[in-house]
Amino acid sequence: MGRYDDLVNRFSTTRVGRFVGSRIAAKIDPIVFKATKGRYTSTGKPTLPMLALTTTGRRTGQQRTVQLAYIEDGDDWLVVASNFGQQHHPAWRHNLDADPNAHVQIGADTIAVRATALSDDEKAEKWPRIETVVPQMEVYPTLTDRNIRVFRLSRR
């Protein structure tokens, strides 16, 4: 990881960084990511492996897209519902609970996936690798009392 990557990733764990990430970048990143076929986000080249997850809104039925870091796990991808360490779960987590069928964009590819939540034991097994790939995950769980869920995204 380069100096710029480290700076961006550390900034995202600060109070200001979490605010910017959750209120501004979360709205801009999916648009930039899609338009550039996964080459850029609001901070430039992604500092982490990134995907765009499109779920169906559980109340509206509308398609909702969020930008997330991911961890490769065999042929699957793991995503963490950290919500920047906020006290409430991200909306996409509730959407996946209601309808686990979704789509991901990784680079220029769009892939139909099915999400399953990892059990606490599975999460504990995967967590050290998650922290290695996404260093923010060392900090976000310390900011909340909620059980941060990890989802496996498998090709449909």
Side-chain angles (χ1 to χ4, degrees), residues 28-46:
I28 297 169
D29 280 353
I31 297 165
V32 174
F33 194 79
K34 184 176 183 178
T36 64
K37 295 185 168 113
R39 291 188 305 264
Y40 295 99
T41 68
S42 61
T43 59
K45 287 191 177 193

Side-chain angles (χ1 to χ4, degrees), residues 11-53:
F11 175 71
S12 70
T13 65
T14 67
R15 182 179 217 158
V16 172
R18 292 190 319 270
F19 177 84
V20 170
S22 66
R23 301 293 193 292
I24 299 168
K27 292 174 178 41
I28 297 169
D29 280 353
I31 297 165
V32 174
F33 194 79
K34 184 176 183 178
T36 64
K37 295 185 168 113
R39 291 188 305 264
Y40 295 99
T41 68
S42 61
T43 59
K45 287 191 177 193
T47 60
L48 301 168
M50 300 297 288
L51 60 76
L53 172 68

Side-chain angles (χ1 to χ4, degrees), residues 26-93:
K27 292 174 178 41
I28 297 169
D29 280 353
I31 297 165
V32 174
F33 194 79
K34 184 176 183 178
T36 64
K37 295 185 168 113
R39 291 188 305 264
Y40 295 99
T41 68
S42 61
T43 59
K45 287 191 177 193
T47 60
L48 301 168
M50 300 297 288
L51 60 76
L53 172 68
T54 302
T55 62
T56 301
R58 70 189 185 286
R59 291 184 298 199
T60 65
Q62 295 181 352
Q63 298 295 291
R64 304 289 186 196
T65 302
V66 295
Q67 191 77 25
L68 301 170
Y70 71 90
I71 298 88
E72 289 186 7
D73 191 49
D75 291 335
D76 300 332
W77 304 276
L78 302 178
V79 291
V80 181
S82 66
N83 205 17
F84 297 91
Q86 295 180 60
Q87 292 302 321
H88 58 279
H89 297 289
W92 64 263
R93 181 242 181 192

